[in-house]
Amino acid sequence: MTPGGAGVAQRHDQSTGGPAGLLGIGYEPGRAPGTRAAVVDGPYGGNDGMYGPDDTAYGPVTAARTGDDGAGPGTPDLGAELASHTAEEVLADYLHQQSADFLRSLRLHRESGSDAEGAGEAARQLRRAARRISATLHTFRPLTEEDWADQLRSELGWLSGTLAREQACAARRERLMTALQRLTGRGPERSDRTGRGERGKRSDRTATSTTAAAASSPSASSASSATSSSDPDPDGALSAGAARAGALLDRQLTLARTRAHSAALQALGSSRFHAVADSVAVLASEAPLDRTAAELPADEALPPLAEQAHRRLAEAVAALPLSRAGYPYNAAALAADQRQDAPWHQVRMLVRLSRYAREVIAPETSDLRLAEAGRALEWHRDAAEAAAAAAAAARTPRIAPATAYALGVLHADQRHEVEAARFAFGRVWLPRTPDRKG
């Protein structure tokens, strides 16, 4: 528990700070309706527990019925699963479970001490529970004490976003370093072929021609040397700038990670965090539900709200340019423009809302297509943020032209990853037709 006494937090007059609806390090511009403070930003460097071994975190994968619009997964046919319970019983049980996971992860984080790996895993589990609490309080808001629930959602968003930044910087650095290594061909196979093969032959040809020219005339020798030195060599330019580009990115992202780590430690020791932990402790024993939740059958009150979350998702997906994204190598994502990325980030948050709503009302079933769609959008988010980091590094004053060139190639590579992620999402989400197999 937290200092100051867990379980004694005031519900309606609890003092908190910061902007309401903070979504971690998510994207603010142009968010879809219903995403404010609903789902805090998600995992980096892996699925962070969002998907289990069989692409689900809560049971075997079972494809549910497709939505009536045919545009994606719909809500499951619950039958009698909820008929024997009230809405209060189902919601309270789920919130109690997630609150207990939150408090358990908090204890593990404190006990990890100097174990960085253990602390990181505990922080991921803590954020996992925080996302589910926040999303549940949002989707089923009409059945909760709205003022208290809204305040808790906002504070959970602040906490999860603060804890996510350190892991985000580490995952982004690893992604960019790996991409640089791949682009420059530093692997053994390509290095041998390029270094000892083509470049060796080119060097031999240049040396031979230069020697012959020098034997005929000193002036010809000078001209030949000038020509050979000015020949364009994109691979050579990329290799020359990659080392400095990698060092620049490493320095910037390591500094950002250090600052994020300090911010996380400061947040975990703040009175604001203690208030959040106390509120979650209250939630673990007493869910802030409205009186009507105790009177309504679960099968009448919960599925319509989950269906509403899915409807918002379907509307947001309908606004995406899936027809163009459905063609590979369409080059639509190559321009670095946050405005074109924002709708995809909105859909990612709404996919998560819909997924967590299904966890509440049907914990033993899952939709594989919804899980795959979420995974493609996580890929999209990671690539877009990595491209933005490469572009930011390229704007560093007084860098060498070769370094800027390498960063430009890296940026384009990550924008191609963005395009590929959009293509993958479209293939998952759009209904299968005879002309569109796979």
Side-chain angles (χ1 to χ4, degrees):
M1 297 299 177
T2 62
V8 296
Q10 297 292 325
R11 282 191 173 182
H12 299 290
D13 58 351
Q14 177 176 300
S15 59
T16 56
L22 185 64
L23 293 178
I25 56 175
Y27 293 80
E28 292 287 336
R31 289 174 301 185
T35 62
R36 182 176 179 84
V39 181
V40 294
D41 206 13
Y44 294 88
N47 59 41
D48 194 22
M50 183 175 179
Y51 310 112
D54 298 319
D55 296 319
T56 172
Y58 48 90
V61 174
T62 303
R65 64 179 176 86
T66 303
D68 296 335
D69 54 4
T75 55
D77 186 8
L78 300 175
E81 293 182 13
L82 299 176
S84 59
H85 301 281
T86 64
E88 181 183 38
E89 292 173 343
V90 175
L91 282 179
D93 180 69
Y94 185 81
L95 289 172
H96 293 338
Q97 177 185 349
Q98 299 305 323
S99 300
D101 290 344
F102 181 99
L103 297 174
R104 187 182 305 110
S105 301
L106 177 58
R107 177 177 56 81
L108 292 175
H109 187 275
R110 289 177 173 173
E111 294 176 352
S112 61
S114 59
D115 181 8
E117 183 177 355
E121 179 61 27
R124 283 190 290 270
Q125 294 299 322
L126 189 149
R127 286 170 37 230
R128 179 182 183 272
R131 288 198 306 268
R132 282 161 169 78
I133 295 172
S134 178
T136 302
L137 293 178
H138 170 80
T139 301
F140 302 101
R141 184 175 182 268
L143 301 176
T144 67
E145 295 180 10
E146 295 180 356
D147 292 339
W148 192 82
D150 291 347
Q151 186 177 9
L152 179 57
R153 286 195 348 250
S154 175
E155 293 303 281
L156 288 173
W158 160 77
L159 174 62
S160 184
T162 301
L163 297 179
R165 291 188 184 98
E166 179 181 1
Q167 187 182 356
C169 293
R172 196 170 303 134
R173 176 191 173 279
E174 182 180 357
R175 181 186 185 91
L176 289 172
M177 295 299 105
T178 302
L180 264 180
Q181 183 178 8
R182 171 171 49 82
L183 291 171
T184 55
R186 294 180 183 177
E189 180 181 353
R190 182 171 176 181
S191 295
D192 293 343
R193 182 178 66 250
T194 304
R196 293 197 297 264
E198 297 175 359
R199 293 181 185 176
K201 293 178 182 177
R202 183 165 60 245
S203 300
D204 292 342
R205 288 195 301 268
T206 303
T208 302
S209 61
T210 303
T211 303
S216 62
S217 165
S219 60
S221 175
S222 302
S224 178
S225 299
T227 302
S228 62
S229 63
S230 61
D231 285 342
D233 185 5
D235 289 341
L238 179 58
S239 298
R244 292 184 179 180
L248 177 60
L249 287 168
D250 179 71
R251 182 167 61 252
Q252 292 182 347
L253 292 175
T254 300
L255 177 60
R257 181 181 182 180
T258 301
R259 291 174 175 173
H261 181 72
S262 299
L265 292 179
Q266 184 178 3
L268 291 174
S270 66
S271 58
R272 183 178 180 183
F273 169 72
H274 293 155
V276 176
D278 288 345
S279 296
V280 174
V282 171
L283 186 62
S285 58
E286 182 183 357
L289 301 179
D290 190 78
R291 293 181 179 178
T292 57
E295 303 172 357
L296 294 175
D299 59 343
E300 296 180 7
L302 301 183
L305 295 175
E307 182 65 31
Q308 185 179 12
H310 172 68
R311 192 179 309 115
R312 287 196 297 266
L313 169 61
E315 292 171 356
V317 172
L320 295 177
L322 288 183
S323 58
R324 184 172 183 179
Y327 292 94
Y329 308 109
N330 57 74
L334 296 187
D337 185 358
Q338 188 181 33
R339 290 175 298 179
Q340 71 153 285
D341 290 336
W344 298 85
H345 298 314
Q346 297 166 11
V347 171
R348 177 178 61 84
M349 291 186 289
L350 291 172
V351 165
R352 186 169 290 162
L353 273 177
S354 183
R355 181 180 178 84
Y356 293 163
R358 294 171 59 86
E359 282 192 18
V360 175
I361 62 177
E364 299 301 327
T365 63
S366 176
D367 195 305
L368 182 58
R369 292 174 64 192
L370 194 62
E372 292 176 348
R375 192 159 43 245
L377 292 173
E378 294 285 349
W379 174 20
H380 178 277
R381 187 273 313 278
D382 292 346
E385 292 186 346
R395 290 191 291 269
T396 303
R398 298 183 298 278
I399 61 175
T403 305
Y405 175 73
L407 290 170
V409 173
L410 181 61
H411 173 269
D413 174 74
Q414 293 303 302
R415 293 306 302 182
H416 276 293
E417 291 283 319
V418 170
E419 179 184 307
R422 294 179 182 180
F423 177 75
F425 173 80
R427 289 180 62 84
V428 169
W429 188 266
L430 293 177
R432 300 293 189 265
T433 63
D435 295 333
R436 195 173 172 280
K437 297 180 181 179

